[in-house]
Amino acid sequence: MPIADVTLIGAPDVPSDALAQRLADALSTALGAPRGTTWVRLHRVDARDYAEDGGAPAGVLPVFVELLRRGWPSTVEERGASLRAVAEAVARVCGRPVAQVHVLA
């Protein structure tokens, strides 16, 4: 059962209606999890409450995903592919570049 805490910095770049549900569906698909087993908690942080040392580059609004999952793939390559799939799914749903999605697993 994957559990994801998604922290979105700033307003989403897409309509925010049912954003948590869209993330849960996308993550379930990306991880190959059975329907009804992926949980998502969405946290929104105002861009004014986010900082990087030296100042964040203009237009950079990251998304942080903390992912808890039982049964990760057995090889490093498969795990990397799974984490890439998660980052791509979150980027697509949130309308952010994949380079701004950070997955902690």
Side-chain angles (χ1 to χ4, degrees):
M1 170 181 300
I3 301 171
D5 277 318
V6 179
T7 302
L8 180 67
I9 307 299
D13 298 333
V14 295
S16 62
D17 297 348
L19 185 57
Q21 184 63 59
R22 292 195 324 265
L23 283 164
D25 292 342
L27 288 171
S28 176
T29 299
L31 294 168
R35 287 288 179 218
T37 63
T38 301
W39 299 355
V40 169
R41 288 187 297 187
L42 177 61
H43 310 275
R44 298 169 193 244
V45 174
D46 190 286
R48 295 173 297 182
D49 294 326
Y50 171 76
E52 294 182 19
D53 66 315
V60 173
L61 296 171
V63 181
F64 299 98
V65 181
E66 292 185 52
L67 185 61
L68 178 63
R69 178 183 181 190
R70 184 181 349 175
W72 281 100
S74 57
T75 69
V76 172
E77 293 80 14
E78 291 172 329
R79 184 174 177 149
S82 183
L83 293 172
R84 276 189 302 278
V86 166
E88 290 168 356
V90 170
R92 186 173 46 257
V93 171
C94 293
R96 300 277 171 89
V98 71
Q100 291 181 14
V101 177
H102 307 282
V103 181
L104 309 164

